[in-house]
Each structure stands twice: as C-alpha cells, then as structure tokens.
Amino acid sequence: MKIDEMGEKLSKRVNCQVSWDDYARNFYSVDSSSYTLKPSIVVFPKNELDIIKIIKFAKKYHIPATARGGGTGLVGSALGSGIIIDMKNLNKISLGTNHVKVDAGVFKGHLDKILKKQGKFIGPNPSIGPFCTVGGMIGTNASGARSLKYGSMIDNLIEVKLVNAFGNMIKLPNSQHAKQVLDIIPSNIEKVFPKVSKNSCGYRIDKIYSKTDVHKIIAGSEGTLGIIVSAKIRTYKIPKNILLCIISYKTLLEAAKDVSKINELKPSAVELVDNNIVKHIKIKIPSQTECILFVEFYDNIKQNIKQIRDITSGRIIKIETNIKKITELWGFRNSALVYSLKSITKNETMPTLIEDAVVPVKRLPLLLKILDIISKKYGLKMIVYGHAGNGNLHIRPILKRRDRHLIKKIASEFFIGVIGIGGSITGEHGDGLARSEFVKLQYGKQVYSVFKDIKNHFDPQNILNPGKIISNQSTVTKNLKI
Ligand SMILES: Cc1cc2nc3c(=O)[nH]c(=O)nc-3n(C[C@H](O)[C@H](O)[C@H](O)COP(=O)(O)OP(=O)(O)OC[C@H]3O[C@@H](n4cnc5c(N)ncnc54)[C@H](O)[C@@H]3O)c2cc1C
C-alpha cells in the first residue's frame, strides 16, 4: 500500500492524529541508538480504543506496528518500517498504597514527581532519568543503578494491560492467556539461563513458574508481544538517610575485584566509571586514578561508613550524606554516555553494539580480560562504565570509521566471550536491531524455539515490531547511521 493511502485510510478509522509528512517520518526514524529506519506513518493514540483500531488495521494490511515511548532506547528497538505508535497521550497515573497504576506513555520524570509527593518512588532508575516512559521501561526490562537493591522492571511489575496482535485487550496475569503461555514453557527452563542478576535478552521465560507470573513475559519483550496500555508497578518509601562514597582505584581490575566484597554490605548502588569519564568529574581526584566506584547506602549510614572503610582496597575520596550534593554527584555518573561521546575524534565512531553485557559479579575481572583481548586484536579504544554491582558494564568501543566492516566480527567475538563466562549479552537495554540476531547464540536452539512459540502465541502474523528478539536476518550493521 502506498504511504499516502495508508495514512488516509488509518486517519478515517482512528480518533487521533496520524502523520506521514517527511518531518514526522524523519523524526521517528531515529532513537538513541546508532540506527536509522524510516517508518511509513506515525500515529498518536489517545486511548485504548485507538490502539485496538490501529492494531486491527495493521493486522488487516500486514503492516509492521512498533510502539514508541521516549525513544531513549540504545539498540534501535523502537524503530520500524511500518506504523510507529507514539504512546505519549496515554498518561494517567493512579496511586495505590504500595503500587502505582500508570499508563504506558507516562514519562518517568512526571511519575517521579507525583510519587515524591507521597514519599514514594519506583525502583528501576535508568541513567537517562526523566526522559523514558513506563511503556519503554517495561519494553526493555529497564533497570539502572538501584536495581542492585530493587531489581529490574520484571521484578517490580505486578500487572500489565496490553493490546495483542489480534487487537484484543488482555490483562496479565489474570486471563486465559496465563495458562496457555505457561503451557508453552518447559519446566526447569531457568536452569539453562545465565545466572545473572539482570537480563534483557530474549523473553524472560526463566522467571515464569506459575500462572501468577505470566505478566513477566512482557518485561523486555520490546513491543513484540503486545502494545502495553498500562501497568501496575511496585513502589517504595524514599529512604530517610543516604550515604554516597566515592572510591578511587589505580586499575579497573582492582575495582572489579572489590565489587563482590562491597556487595556483601548490601549497598543500594555500586557504579563504575573509567578514566575517560573520571576526567570530566569536577571533584578532587588523585592522579593515577584509572577508575572510580560510586557506592550508595540507605539508612544505616554510620555503620556503613565504618564497614566500607574496613572492606575496600581502594581509596575513599568522598563521603557525602547531603541529599542535594549526592544528587549533583550522581549527575556525573549519569552523564557517562555524554562524556564518552567527547572522546571520539572526527574519523572515529562509537556504535551502540556491545555495550550492555552482564556477568556474575565475581567474573567481572574475566569480562575485563575479554575486553582487553578484543581491544588489542582490533586496535580499539574502549570506554567502560556502568552498573558494576550487578556485573553489568556498558562498554563503548571506539573504532575508526574505515573499520566499520569489523563491527559484526567484534560483536560476535565479544558475545561468545560473554556467554562463555556465564553472562548475558544484554543486562538492561534489550536486543533491538543490535543484538536480536545473537539471541539464538545466547540460549541455543531449544530455548529459541520456545521463544518462537511465545511470539507465535501472541502475534502469529508477526505484525508487532517484527525482527526484534525473533530475527532471521542480520541487522547488526544494516541500518547503522555511522
Ligand atoms: C543516556 C542514556 C542512559 C541510559 N541509561 C539506562 C540505564 O541506566 N538503565 C536502563 O535500563 N536503560 C538505560 N538507557 C536505555 C533507555 O533509556 C531505557 O531502555 C528506557 O527504558 C527506554 O524507554 P523509552 O520510553 O525511551 O522507550 P523506547 O526507546 O521508546 O522503546 C524501547 C522499547 O520498548 C518498546 N515500547 C515502548 N513503549 C511500549 C508500549 N507502550 N508497549 C509495548 N512496547 C513498548 C519499544 O517498541 C521498544 O522496543 C539509557 C539510555 C540513554 C540514552
């Protein structure tokens, strides 16, 4: 169908804005990843009924439909060639005692403000801060620094309402789908999943033990199983006392080895940044520092100060308990990606490819070894930062533009290494265009075929965000805009 015809036809069916001018199509052809893919049309549903009509339209004419939140995803998972469904008009929030019911299009920044008035917050906190939406956070199974204490979205999702590929509204876990989904998943499947504290690769069937868990399948499903309309999410009390320690290390390895010991003290966050980031941080940092850890504790802070002094092999360079100053210091950590970009010269590029591996925390030194081997082999600069407490490091390889052809090789070798040490190729950002072709490598044929059955149950015509998670094409370099 021609684009004009598609736009006009859909406009007649829905009660909301539909755009297919070049400006809209170009705007939605990018997200925060290194990819670009121009959609045919963009639609802005105002309510559930609009979404149902959009999906029925997509189904009737076999047009791919991709949900979009804030577009802050880093792997191209919100990019699609057909209809982009921008969820921002679905924005209601309803507060409960220990949970919040929230529409998918609500931006985290807005939700945080509303919850703060009640002395509450949600656990997962991507470093992008206010700019991602609840739908996108569920879509990627987002986490962030404090997932060390509170887990990822999958651990905080109580209920989810979505429109499936048939244009039906379903609520999970309480629907007839719960039993059907459960029947697809072989028992003991969790045994073949990596033993890591967070994971956004494939469908998280390892977390589904009974009918009451079935909603968890949607966390990290990247819009491939349904369009999330709203969700019920756990909330927590804002802690009364917070302590932030900044610890400097002479080597990355020394810091990596320290993390397991620090984790025994049950911190709320242990975040690492390497010297590419450290040089932008405006506090006094000893020379020869190659890496620093941000270690945060809640509530028992006097005891924690003593404990961290006893346990760390690094040098504590700052101890802060003032909330305003702590927020400022976290700003340096949360700007790590921006600081990384400053390290690239004109002839270089930093694709968002191998940037989200997670391994068992004790194996962080092995992850660094893999990096060292790959960077030496291909002459790469590597920037390293991330959620060390979870064993989840964001690794940003910088390569010469002329070496673009090496990208798939580098990614494959890195992923084989990560899988070999019991890790997952993505801890929180998902598969998208960057990693979907490696999902089979991660889990093997048997698990992958269960993933296909799950997809087939929700979306047999492959309408919803096709090519993400289940993919029979190589997309790792195809739509790179570098
Ligand atoms: C600087 C920076 C720092 C970041 N830090 C972190 C971090 O610390 N931790 C972390 O986890 N992530 C991080 N991210 C990645 C990103 O912010 C998160 O993945 C975020 O959750 C994406 O939300 P979004 O609303 O922007 O989703 P989008 O990018 O719009 O979409 C992401 C995926 O979710 C799907 N989706 C969106 N809405 C719906 C819906 N209603 N129904 C079904 N599917 C939907 C999309 O189809 C897509 O597959 C960071 C990104 C940047 C740019």
Side-chain angles (χ1 to χ4, degrees):
M1 193 189 303
K2 290 222 168 83
I3 289 174
D4 283 345
E5 189 189 350
M6 195 189 292
E8 276 153 22
K9 269 197 164 127
L10 183 59
S11 300
K12 283 185 191 141
R13 291 187 179 216
V14 291
N15 217 349
C16 63
Q17 185 189 337
V18 183
S19 302
W20 62 95
D21 55 283
D22 237 30
Y23 176 78
R25 292 177 60 217
N26 284 333
F27 185 88
Y28 287 90
S29 70
V30 290
D31 60 0
S32 301
S33 71
S34 307
Y35 294 96
T36 178
L37 186 54
K38 199 166 173 173
S40 300
I41 56 178
V42 186
V43 56
F44 303 83
K46 284 187 185 150
N47 50 42
E48 305 172 0
L49 192 61
D50 283 334
I51 299 176
I52 289 171
K53 286 178 179 167
I54 296 162
I55 295 302
K56 287 193 168 161
F57 176 83
K59 180 174 169 345
K60 181 168 178 191
Y61 296 105
H62 289 265
I63 305 166
T66 302
R68 171 149 174 148
T72 68
L74 288 162
V75 287
S77 55
L79 304 179
S81 60
I83 305 172
I84 296 291
I85 309 171
D86 184 323
M87 299 294 292
K88 67 168 167 256
N89 293 327
L90 277 90
N91 52 18
K92 286 194 296 297
I93 298 176
S94 144
L95 298 173
T97 319
N98 294 316
H99 68 262
V100 59
K101 275 191 184 164
V102 57
D103 279 359
V106 169
F107 279 84
K108 182 169 182 293
H110 181 52
L111 179 60
D112 287 345
K113 272 188 198 148
I114 304 282
L115 287 174
K116 197 174 174 190
K117 287 185 195 153
Q118 208 199 18
K120 295 280 175 67
F121 68 106
I122 60 166
N125 68 321
S127 312
I128 188 69
F131 306 108
C132 54
T133 64
V134 168
M137 289 176 72
I138 300 170
T140 56
N141 187 25
S143 42
R146 295 195 185 91
S147 61
L148 187 57
K149 187 172 173 70
Y150 299 105
S152 308
M153 286 306 280
I154 197 166
D155 307 300
N156 289 277
L157 196 60
I158 303 171
E159 209 173 82
V160 64
K161 206 167 150 192
L162 64 152
V163 175
N164 69 4
F166 298 90
N168 297 327
M169 180 69 71
I170 59 175
K171 218 178 189 182
L172 293 172
N174 301 318
S175 77
Q176 87 274 14
H177 285 271
K179 166 132 185 30
Q180 290 164 2
V181 171
L182 200 61
D183 285 346
I184 298 171
I185 303 171
S187 48
N188 296 326
I189 199 82
E190 71 281 2
K191 290 198 174 136
V192 296
F193 271 65
K195 309 287 173 285
V196 284
S197 62
K198 49 157 87 166
N199 184 1
S200 284
C201 185
Y203 298 123
R204 294 298 307 278
I205 52 177
D206 59 313
K207 286 270 186 179
I208 299 172
Y209 300 100
S210 74
K211 279 199 276 185
T212 55
D213 295 322
V214 165
H215 58 295
K216 295 182 183 176
I217 197 76
I218 303 304
S221 65
E222 299 182 23
T224 62
L225 303 181
I227 309 297
I228 302 160
V229 172
S230 62
K232 193 169 163 183
I233 297 166
R234 207 157 277 132
T235 56
Y236 303 90
K237 269 192 197 153
I238 294 176
K240 287 200 181 86
N241 300 304
I242 305 183
L243 164 70
L244 181 66
C245 299
I246 299 187
I247 309 174
S248 84
Y249 296 86
K250 287 196 180 128
T251 65
L252 266 173
L253 187 62
E254 198 191 326
K257 285 182 179 163
D258 226 18
V259 175
S260 323
K261 283 192 281 167
I262 295 173
N263 271 359
E264 284 168 23
L265 305 178
K266 306 264 178 264
S268 47
V270 180
E271 297 282 300
L272 175 150
V273 295
D274 77 1
N275 53 6
N276 293 286
I277 316 292
V278 167
K279 64 183 179 210
H280 298 282
I281 297 181
K282 296 198 170 39
I283 59 171
K284 207 161 172 258
I285 292 172
S287 58
Q288 295 186 320
T289 297
E290 198 185 298
C291 162
I292 63 176
L293 290 183
F294 290 72
V295 182
E296 187 191 69
F297 294 96
Y298 287 170
D299 292 331
N300 297 323
I301 61 176
K302 269 196 186 142
Q303 193 188 342
N304 294 142
I305 293 176
K306 187 183 167 330
Q307 288 171 323
I308 192 83
R309 281 203 170 111
D310 289 345
I311 216 168
T312 182
S313 66
R315 179 165 159 196
I316 299 178
I317 55 171
K318 194 148 194 82
I319 289 186
E320 190 54 73
T321 55
N322 177 293
I323 303 287
K324 203 168 155 237
K325 289 190 178 150
I326 287 176
T327 310
E328 274 170 32
L329 290 167
W330 272 123
F332 292 121
R333 155 62 190 99
N334 292 340
S335 303
L337 177 52
V338 180
Y339 297 148
S340 309
L341 294 169
K342 295 187 180 186
S343 299
I344 312 174
T345 61
K346 220 172 86 201
N347 299 325
E348 291 174 328
T349 182
M350 191 178 73
T352 51
L353 285 176
I354 65 166
E355 44 74 65
D356 191 29
V358 56
V359 297
V361 178
K362 284 219 156 96
R363 297 196 185 148
L364 275 174
L366 288 178
L367 182 62
L368 295 178
K369 182 92 198 142
I370 292 168
L371 270 188
D372 193 43
I373 292 170
I374 292 181
S375 50
K376 281 191 182 127
K377 180 170 171 186
Y378 292 102
L380 306 172
K381 272 195 265 173
M382 295 277 192
I383 298 181
V384 181
Y385 62 89
H387 316 296
N390 282 103
N392 179 206
L393 291 186
H394 299 318
I395 293 147
R396 305 226 153 233
I398 299 181
L399 68 156
K400 300 260 179 309
R401 283 181 193 276
R402 61 165 190 261
D403 290 339
R404 193 182 184 275
H405 62 284
L406 292 174
I407 285 175
K408 185 166 177 178
K409 240 174 153 217
I410 294 167
S412 305
E413 286 178 25
F414 178 70
F415 294 152
I416 289 168
V418 168
I419 296 164
I421 59 169
S424 164
I425 60 176
T426 168
E428 56 176 23
H429 296 161
D431 301 312
L433 295 169
R435 285 185 283 257
S436 290
E437 70 193 79
F438 301 100
V439 173
K440 201 194 268 175
L441 178 73
Q442 173 77 59
Y443 293 109
K445 267 193 205 154
Q446 191 211 350
V447 174
Y448 190 72
S449 108
V450 180
F451 288 172
K452 280 196 193 149
D453 292 343
I454 293 280
K455 171 74 174 168
N456 200 38
H457 171 78
F458 284 90
D459 180 21
Q461 283 181 285
N462 200 19
I463 298 296
L464 299 173
N465 212 5
K468 316 293 163 40
I469 300 184
I470 304 294
S471 166
N472 51 18
Q473 277 185 24
S474 178
T475 51
V476 61
T477 52
K478 195 170 164 217
N479 294 95
L480 275 177
K481 60 177 183 235
I482 55 169

